[in-house]
């Protein structure tokens, strides 16, 4: 407890390196001290130790199964680390605890978008807009996802045959479109 108290004092003074050290000593003294993991994650972020923050937030989320804050922070770090399925799972757990948590909904949508489940990601952002219609960044997220959705549909149409006369992606990659792609192969070359 003394290390945790010292860590809190250092954090209040924005002495992040010292705070991290004291939080780590508090954790070593009591590995089940969930708040020390959560606060350690905050301090580690301040010194740009992303992998340390990810580990601290993940452990805090495990130790604090009812903490929306821990789950949202862990989901955010998982998303940054490109661990999309884990980010989605943590965001869903936070949403279970608070179905109107816009941050958790956006984290889930971002994870889904990265996992190429763009339709579901769009639905999530639309749900968040219903909860917080004044949040401008939700509309830009929605626009980005809708563009991604359109690009995927266009690419799918191209590969399925709408623009290629039935050519497959493999054909395109091997350059076997010939006349179908609008160019003619030159003989003798």
């Amino acid at each position: 407890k003394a290390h945790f108290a010292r860590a809190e004092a250092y954090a209040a003074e924005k002495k992040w390196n010292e705070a991290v050290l004291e939080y780590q000593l508090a954790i070593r003294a009591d590995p089940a001290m969930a708040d020390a993991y959560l606060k350690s994650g905050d301090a580690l972020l301040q010194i740009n130790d992303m992998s340390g923050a990810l580990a601290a937030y993940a452990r805090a989320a495990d130790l604090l199964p009812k903490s929306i804050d821990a789950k949202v922070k862990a989901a955010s770090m998982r998303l940054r680390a490109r661990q999309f399925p884990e980010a989605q799972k943590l965001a869903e757990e936070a949403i279970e605890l608070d179905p109107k948590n816009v941050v958790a909904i956006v984290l889930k949508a971002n994870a889904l978008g990265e996992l190429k489940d763009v339709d579901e990601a769009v639905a999530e952002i639309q749900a968040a807009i219903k909860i917080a219609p004044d949040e401008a960044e939700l509309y830009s997220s929605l626009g980005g996802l809708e563009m991604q959705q359109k690009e995927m549909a266009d690419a799918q149409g191209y590969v399925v045959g709408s623009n290629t006369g039935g050519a497959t992606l493999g054909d395109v990659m091997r350059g076997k479109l010939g006349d179908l792609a609008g160019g003619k192969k030159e003989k003798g070359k």
Side-chain angles (χ1 to χ4, degrees):
K1 299 279 184 196
H3 289 294
F4 186 80
R6 279 195 294 274
E8 291 286 271
Y10 283 131
E13 295 174 20
K14 298 186 185 318
K15 293 182 177 179
W16 302 115
N17 289 314
E18 294 85 349
V20 167
L21 176 62
E22 290 296 336
Y23 284 127
Q24 290 172 344
L25 291 171
I27 289 166
R28 189 173 299 146
D30 182 1
M33 187 182 282
D35 286 339
Y37 285 99
L38 193 58
K39 298 289 187 109
S40 176
D42 294 341
L44 287 161
L45 269 183
Q46 293 296 322
I47 61 170
N48 292 317
D49 182 346
M50 299 303 159
S51 63
L54 169 59
Y57 287 142
R59 185 68 180 131
D62 289 343
L63 291 171
L64 297 165
K66 301 284 187 210
S67 172
I68 296 166
D69 187 40
K71 292 192 180 302
V72 164
K73 287 178 177 181
S76 178
M77 293 306 297
R78 295 271 187 206
L79 197 61
R80 285 175 132 178
R82 306 191 62 74
Q83 298 172 358
F84 305 123
E86 296 87 350
Q88 178 186 348
K89 180 180 178 288
L90 286 159
E92 287 171 347
E93 290 172 5
I95 293 166
E96 242 178 69
L97 296 169
D98 179 6
K100 293 185 186 262
N101 188 303
V102 174
V103 174
I105 294 169
V106 169
L107 287 168
K108 179 182 177 186
N110 287 337
L112 288 166
E114 293 293 340
L115 291 167
K116 305 301 181 217
D117 191 349
V118 181
D119 293 338
E120 184 65 25
V122 166
E124 291 292 331
I125 294 293
Q126 288 171 335
I129 288 171
K130 287 179 183 172
I131 295 166
D134 295 334
E135 294 292 326
E137 58 267 4
L138 293 176
Y139 295 96
S140 63
S141 292
L142 180 61
L145 285 168
E146 287 175 340
M147 283 177 49
Q148 185 179 352
Q149 198 175 34
K150 182 182 177 337
E151 288 169 4
M152 288 175 69
D154 289 349
Q156 205 171 30
Y158 184 78
V159 172
V160 186
S162 66
N163 297 327
T164 62
T168 65
L169 180 58
D171 293 334
V172 173
M173 297 304 287
R174 289 187 297 277
K176 294 186 176 182
L177 284 179
D179 290 342
L180 296 174
K184 296 191 183 235
K185 289 185 179 178
E186 293 182 43
K187 292 186 179 181
K189 289 193 177 183

